[in-house]
Amino acid sequence: MYVGRFAPTTSGPLHLGSLLAAVASYLDARSHDGQWLLRLDDIDEPRTSANAEKIALTTLEIHGLEWDGVVVRQSDHRDRYWDAIAELRKKELIFYCTCSRRKLRNTATYPGYCRTRLVKPSDPASIRVHVPDRKIGFEDRIQGSVEGNLSVGEGDFVVMRKEAIVAYPLAVIVDDDITGVTDVVRGADLLENTLTQIFLIETLDLAIPRYAHIPVLNQRNEIKLSKRDQAFAIDNRVPLLNLVSALHMLGLDPSSDHQDVHLLLIWAIEQWDVRNVPKEVAIKDFISI
Ligand code: GLU
Ligand code: ZN
């Protein structure tokens, strides 16, 4: 059974990149007769808002993207994140880090200053994981073979921030495990992070999902498409146009005579083939902006 999901961070309205991820994950799930879950990544409280959440749900509804079951929230999984950390501790893979941002300013790879700090200090500390010095790889359905060595990238990475907020790679693998996700379809900006996630999944003995990383809009143009850039918020007044553009970028060729989003999506589910998705797209292809 295929279980897919869309997991927007609710720190602002959905942007064009998130609509692409929503549409791609929806079409892939539906074309496999699978489930498509909606999870709100709301753990980063200082940045998330109830209003953004409402707007995200409305945007999906207006675009005809109907999810299965109840909306899942990261904030419901807090205990499970700590369980995972306890598991990592048992394996002697974590340590407390008190390094300031300033101290790490000039280092891309964590230099290991706190590696031997196994007891929680009284100062605020983040929790980092020891990474192995070996290659990790996977086969992406769109991007092909991906591999890398975590110890030459970010190095020992943070799983729990100083403010006791779980870090994304740990949260996402626990969330996907809890909800039985078999297939992850999301933006290629997370391609490298997927290696970190696979390391955690293997270490915690969970099942590795299949991955398909769709092109991100900013790759070629160097325009930063973050949710904080209101300029790229989706215009909910033109859902049909937005969907047609998104489908073009995902390698489909919809005609302009579809009357509404539901009929257009039915057509797209039939046509969907992940092998037609390009590895990269330019923002100029997104005709509605
Ligand atoms: N909330 C994350 C994001 O919007 C989810 C990424 C993922 O799909 O794993 O970037
Ligand atoms: Zn440190």
Side-chain angles (χ1 to χ4, degrees), residues 227-283:
K227 293 180 196 69
R228 277 164 281 182
D229 290 331
Q230 300 292 326
F232 291 106
I234 290 161
D235 185 348
N236 278 341
R237 292 166 304 180
V238 287
L240 202 53
L241 193 56
N242 293 336
L243 269 188
V244 166
S245 308
L247 294 175
H248 271 297
M249 287 195 283
L250 293 169
L252 296 177
D253 194 12
S255 66
S256 49
D257 56 6
H258 292 280
Q259 299 299 311
D260 70 52
V261 290
H262 299 283
L263 294 175
L264 177 56
L265 286 174
I266 290 171
W267 173 87
I269 291 166
E270 278 166 14
Q271 303 293 315
W272 177 253
D273 186 342
V274 80
R275 288 169 302 186
N276 292 339
V277 178
K279 287 189 181 182
E280 272 184 51
V281 289
I283 194 152

Side-chain angles (χ1 to χ4, degrees), residues 7-63:
T9 303
T10 44
S11 57
L14 296 189
H15 58 89
L16 299 177
S18 13
L19 184 67
L20 263 191
V23 172
S25 58
Y26 173 88
L27 295 178
D28 203 53
R30 293 292 181 241
S31 65
H32 283 87
D33 287 324
Q35 281 187 304
W36 188 61
L37 310 179
L38 175 61
R39 181 181 75 236
L40 301 178
D41 285 0
D42 63 348
I43 205 82
D44 197 351
E45 274 160 12
R47 287 181 49 217
T48 57
S49 82
N51 191 40
E53 222 173 87
K54 237 173 70 196
I55 298 174
L57 298 190
T58 307
T59 299
L60 292 176
E61 279 161 5
I62 286 178
H63 289 79

Side-chain angles (χ1 to χ4, degrees), residues 5 7-9 39 41 168 172 176 184-186 190 197 227:
R5 71 353 177 236
T9 303
R39 181 181 75 236
D41 285 0
Y168 162 70
V172 70
D176 286 339
V184 171
V185 179
R186 63 184 172 199
L190 292 165
Q197 295 173 30
K227 293 180 196 69

Side-chain angles (χ1 to χ4, degrees), residues 40-90:
L40 301 178
D41 285 0
D42 63 348
I43 205 82
D44 197 351
E45 274 160 12
R47 287 181 49 217
T48 57
S49 82
N51 191 40
E53 222 173 87
K54 237 173 70 196
I55 298 174
L57 298 190
T58 307
T59 299
L60 292 176
E61 279 161 5
I62 286 178
H63 289 79
L65 299 164
E66 284 162 19
W67 59 91
D68 295 309
V70 293
V71 176
V72 185
R73 276 162 204 284
Q74 278 190 328
S75 50
D76 294 335
H77 297 163
R78 284 206 178 88
D79 292 350
R80 301 292 289 271
Y81 303 141
W82 284 108
D83 289 347
I85 290 198
E87 200 59 37
L88 294 170
R89 186 196 313 268
K90 254 199 252 160

Side-chain angles (χ1 to χ4, degrees), residues 129-140 144-153 155 157 191-203 208 211:
V129 177
H130 285 287
V131 297
D133 180 9
R134 65 170 162 87
K135 276 208 177 115
I136 294 178
F138 69 101
E139 201 53 38
D140 189 86
S145 288
V146 181
E147 62 169 30
N149 182 332
L150 299 182
S151 73
V152 296
F157 60 94
L191 205 55
E192 208 176 307
N193 196 277
T194 303
L195 297 172
T196 308
Q197 295 173 30
I198 288 177
F199 163 64
L200 285 172
I201 292 172
E202 284 176 342
T203 306
I208 301 177
Y211 294 101

